[in-house]
Amino acid sequence: MKSNKNSRRKFIRSTALSSFAALIGMPVVFGSNLPKELPPIGLLDGTLPPDLIGKSKLMTVLNDRPINAETAAHLLDDDLTPNNLFFVRNNGIPPADVDVKNWTLTIEGESAQQKKTYSINDLKTKFQQHTLNLTLECGGNGRSEFNPPAKGNQWSTGAVGCAAWTGVKLADVLKDVGVKSNAVYIGYYGEDTHLSGDPTKDPISRGVPIAKAMEAESMIAWSMNGNDIPVLNGYPLRLVLGGFPASCSGKWLSKIVIRDKVHDGQKMTGTAYRVPCKPVAPGEKIKDEDMCIIEGMPVKSLITFPKTGAMIKKAEKLGIRGHAWTSAEKITKVEYSIDFGENWLTCDLKEAKNRYEWQRFEAQISFPQIGYYEVWARATDSDNRRQPIILPGWNPKGYLNNASHRIAIKVL
Amino acid sequence: MKSVEKNIEKESRLIWNFFMSMIYLALVSVILAFGYVALGDDIQALLNQKTITAEDIRNYKPQSNEGGEEVDYNKVVDGIHVYTGLKADPNLQVIIGSCTSCHSAKLITQNKATRAGWKSMILWMQATQGLQDLGNREPIILDYLAKYYAPENMGRRKNIDIAAIEWFILDQKEENK
């Protein structure tokens, strides 16, 4: 132990290794004698651990190659999710040498009137700028609860966040290019690269129906909460399309295609981001052609205060708060239960500044006696959809789990 | 006479001031020394934090640490192979060699499936991700995965994992906005 002080210092200086340690959550000693030619697992392809690129060490790293990290419910308590706590769902390797000045966005495709290329400065000067608070949620958020289990990143509840995005309306740019009347879909391409390093492969290239692209809340954004978008979240330019799975909101955006058919890019076809067109029994085998593309995300809520595990005294009331969101017009009601769903009481609910912003709910809870409680929350939206208490319909890829969030409380 | 007294007074004040400043200096040094012992590493870490630029990412290379302590690459704690986080097993090197050269071990450790489920993932990797035929390693890998990373019966929804909760006294006067 005597050389500890020095070797620890050396370690802190060696960012690569200390980050590696943070990633795997172990004391740094294990990294100190790695073979020189062998980089730590997870860094083999040069992807960077999240603490190196603007992410909080409080985030939960699910996968380090590519980087996927989520945020615990109590860390999502802010009205707008801070950039360093916003979840990361990457399919490939983010571009390393971003030259903002020379970054361009090209719009083309079968249903584009012309091919047109814009610099970020063109976007900033030619079009009206907007700032909207938009919620993004990964289609697979909540996957870890499905039974039988679905493969992939086992998200719990933290693949969601809401930020103030500044940019231009996607519709304004598409109109500037000219959209033919036969347009069906848009698709995006980004500058991230495939994990295999194969330059001919796209890690992901998804899109949305043209009507969704033309919505007033569909944006091309260059700023997040007043700052540059973090590298892992799409710096310097990305799509932000609230209400749809976040995979539709392409990052490191460099090209948009206006298609005369449903976009067939990477992860649009097969079973990716698709659920059975008709309800199925858990574990049922489903043919690819019976899987339908996910569009609007379901109604959902999260209790962000207190952190699960809070203990209070019987005389105290418990103040809870959280966020609720939907792809419908708005959230109309949030309720809570402290008796495992037998009785539900209504929370105070704030209006959103704009559609697809999550809405704050709050309540003061009195507990009848000392003991163990669970606080459950469920939201209802303007389409009268309400969160289930148990898991919603099973699907082979584990998407769209919007079951009620639950926290554990003890009253002493 | 008065000026002599004044001089003595002046001198003694000077000596006193000098004496006191030495004491202060000593005190400050002691505090700083203690502070450094206690917080040196954190301060160092703080100083070493910097904004990461695209340049840094481009030039980034994993580094190895020279010197330092002996580390056992094969170390196993509580049945977990520390370096990868995988469950320890006599066939672990087959798993490490076949799987983690292409993807993170976390992709194994966070997933659960039956033998057939793991087999379908291998088929998927072969169909779409360029995985080669695993030959006689395949049954070894499947046995390992099915044994250690099998699905548990969770019913339609699992209970909250109470054992994992860190209970804490909530001070609402402090916490409330």
Side-chain angles (χ1 to χ4, degrees):
Chain A
M1 291 297 279
K2 66 176 166 38
S3 68
N4 245 1
K5 206 81 193 168
N6 251 328
S7 59
R8 278 184 67 194
R9 287 272 154 63
K10 207 179 269 175
F11 244 112
I12 289 161
R13 279 195 206 102
S14 159
T15 31
L17 280 175
S18 62
S19 316
F20 171 51
L23 255 183
I24 55 177
M26 289 190 303
V28 285
V29 284
F30 297 124
S32 62
N33 211 25
L34 288 172
K36 266 178 213 161
E37 65 277 16
L38 182 73
I41 284 178
L43 303 175
L44 286 167
D45 61 354
T47 50
L48 292 164
D51 55 333
L52 278 183
I53 18 184
K55 288 291 161 183
S56 167
K57 286 186 178 171
L58 298 173
M59 292 193 74
T60 313
V61 177
L62 298 181
N63 192 356
D64 41 44
R65 195 151 48 99
I67 290 175
N68 284 277
E70 68 173 324
T71 319
H74 69 281
L75 298 174
L76 289 171
D77 193 41
D78 297 272
D79 289 342
L80 293 171
T81 311
N83 291 10
N84 67 347
L85 286 171
F86 208 95
F87 78 96
V88 177
R89 197 286 178 251
N90 286 348
N91 289 267
I93 306 164
D97 42 2
V98 171
D99 178 1
V100 190
K101 279 198 182 119
N102 292 315
W103 190 276
T104 56
L105 170 65
T106 300
I107 319 261
E108 59 185 27
E110 307 100 349
S111 294
Q113 302 277 16
Q114 57 176 321
K115 178 179 174 177
K116 207 163 173 180
T117 297
Y118 304 90
S119 68
I120 293 179
N121 199 46
D122 290 339
L123 296 174
K124 285 180 177 174
T125 52
K126 282 189 178 168
F127 303 97
Q128 199 192 331
Q129 296 189 17
H130 301 270
T131 298
L132 293 175
N133 299 341
L134 299 171
T135 309
L136 286 181
E137 182 183 16
C138 173
N141 196 20
R143 175 176 292 140
S144 62
E145 286 194 291
F146 279 104
N147 177 32
K151 78 179 173 83
N153 289 297
Q154 297 298 305
W155 303 103
S156 62
T157 57
V160 64
C162 182
W165 304 93
T166 301
V168 294
K169 289 187 180 178
L170 174 57
D172 289 348
V173 180
L174 294 178
K175 280 177 201 157
D176 187 58
V177 172
V179 179
K180 291 184 188 164
S181 59
N182 65 349
V184 170
Y185 233 82
I186 64 138
Y188 68 75
Y189 293 89
E191 290 300 301
D192 47 342
T193 46
H194 197 267
L195 284 182
S196 64
D198 183 345
T200 64
K201 278 186 175 170
D202 295 313
I204 186 165
S205 168
R206 304 200 67 240
V208 294
I210 192 75
K212 175 69 188 176
M214 290 300 193
E215 265 188 3
E217 295 84 5
S218 294
M219 298 182 75
I220 299 169
W222 55 77
S223 165
M224 179 178 177
N225 294 324
N227 290 301
D228 284 344
I229 298 169
V231 175
L232 290 177
N233 295 109
Y235 177 79
L237 198 67
R238 70 171 296 169
L239 287 170
V240 185
L241 314 173
F244 270 43
S247 57
C248 297
S249 297
K251 299 188 276 190
W252 312 286
L253 181 68
S254 59
K255 187 160 87 177
I256 294 173
V257 284
I258 309 174
R259 306 296 309 268
D260 61 0
K261 57 178 182 179
V262 174
H263 182 55
D264 50 3
Q266 195 61 237
K267 306 222 171 184
M268 278 305 294
T269 55
T271 57
Y273 298 101
R274 287 176 184 238
V275 289
C277 305
K278 297 189 182 87
V280 297
E284 208 172 304
K285 288 263 175 287
I286 299 125
K287 289 184 201 131
D288 279 9
E289 61 263 36
D290 294 330
M291 298 283 278
C292 287
I293 299 171
I294 298 167
E295 296 196 339
M297 292 289 287
V299 57
K300 199 161 172 181
S301 61
L302 203 56
I303 302 165
T304 57
F305 184 90
K307 184 184 172 191
T308 188
M311 298 188 288
I312 61 161
K313 295 201 182 82
K314 166 82 178 69
E316 288 177 68
K317 279 190 165 188
L318 176 67
I320 62 157
R321 57 177 182 261
H323 310 288
W325 63 95
T326 175
S327 56
E329 196 60 35
K330 64 195 287 199
I331 296 289
T332 50
K333 186 159 59 164
V334 179
E335 299 158 286
Y336 73 87
S337 174
I338 57 167
D339 55 10
F340 306 96
E342 192 172 345
N343 292 286
W344 293 88
L345 290 160
T346 306
C347 302
D348 290 330
L349 179 67
K350 276 191 189 153
E351 293 286 319
K353 187 189 133 209
N354 53 260
R355 189 157 61 149
Y356 306 132
E357 179 186 26
W358 61 18
Q359 288 170 244
R360 171 71 82 187
F361 66 84
E362 287 180 336
Q364 292 285 326
I365 304 178
S366 301
F367 293 91
Q369 57 176 326
I370 61 167
Y372 170 85
Y373 293 87
E374 288 177 11
V375 179
W376 297 1
R378 71 173 183 197
T380 307
D381 69 19
S382 49
D383 288 350
N384 265 321
R385 298 185 303 174
R386 192 171 70 189
Q387 289 182 259
I389 302 164
I390 56 169
L391 272 271
W394 180 90
N395 62 89
K397 302 276 285 178
Y399 294 117
L400 307 180
N401 175 11
N402 66 334
S404 289
H405 185 220
R406 309 170 296 180
I407 60 168
I409 299 292
K410 268 184 191 171
V411 179
L412 309 172
Chain B
M1 280 301 275
K2 260 191 177 165
S3 68
V4 173
E5 264 173 35
K6 237 181 192 165
N7 271 343
I8 292 170
E9 211 181 296
K10 209 174 171 182
E11 261 171 43
S12 60
R13 202 183 292 135
L14 260 171
I15 292 165
W16 175 248
N17 281 350
F18 177 74
F19 182 66
M20 282 311 284
S21 26
M22 289 310 283
I23 288 180
Y24 280 130
L25 213 72
L27 254 171
V28 168
S29 322
V30 167
I31 290 169
L32 277 177
F34 269 109
Y36 187 72
V37 167
L39 298 168
D41 284 356
D42 300 298
I43 293 167
Q44 195 86 37
L46 212 76
L47 288 175
N48 280 333
Q49 277 183 0
K50 57 175 189 127
T51 319
I52 302 298
T53 61
E55 186 74 15
D56 291 325
I57 296 170
R58 191 164 55 245
N59 295 333
Y60 172 79
K61 276 183 195 67
Q63 295 159 27
S64 59
N65 187 39
E66 283 149 49
E69 293 154 52
E70 284 291 316
V71 164
D72 184 2
Y73 174 73
N74 297 315
K75 184 168 183 160
V76 170
V77 175
D78 296 334
I80 304 288
H81 177 241
V82 173
Y83 185 67
T84 57
L86 290 164
K87 293 270 173 67
D89 185 271
N91 288 323
L92 182 63
Q93 286 311 320
V94 179
I95 315 304
I96 291 175
S98 308
C99 306
T100 64
S101 56
C102 288
H103 62 73
S104 167
K106 281 177 187 279
L107 216 48
I108 298 171
T109 56
Q110 66 168 322
N111 275 287
K112 288 185 164 67
T114 58
R115 201 173 197 279
W118 285 112
K119 168 86 183 174
S120 75
M121 286 183 229
I122 289 174
L123 289 173
W124 176 80
M125 286 187 279
Q126 284 167 340
T128 67
Q129 307 294 305
L131 173 65
Q132 304 290 311
D133 182 47
L134 290 164
N136 57 9
R137 283 174 298 161
E138 186 172 297
I140 297 171
I141 294 167
L142 284 174
D143 286 346
Y144 171 88
L145 294 171
K147 179 176 176 187
Y148 296 109
Y149 301 99
E152 41 184 325
N153 191 2
M154 303 193 289
R156 189 74 194 205
R157 195 173 196 191
K158 239 168 120 174
N159 271 336
I160 290 181
D161 184 2
I162 296 165
I165 291 175
E166 295 165 7
W167 295 99
F168 65 98
I169 302 276
L170 178 65
D171 184 349
Q172 299 198 70
K173 284 183 197 84
E174 284 288 308
E175 300 271 5
N176 267 349
K177 278 180 185 171

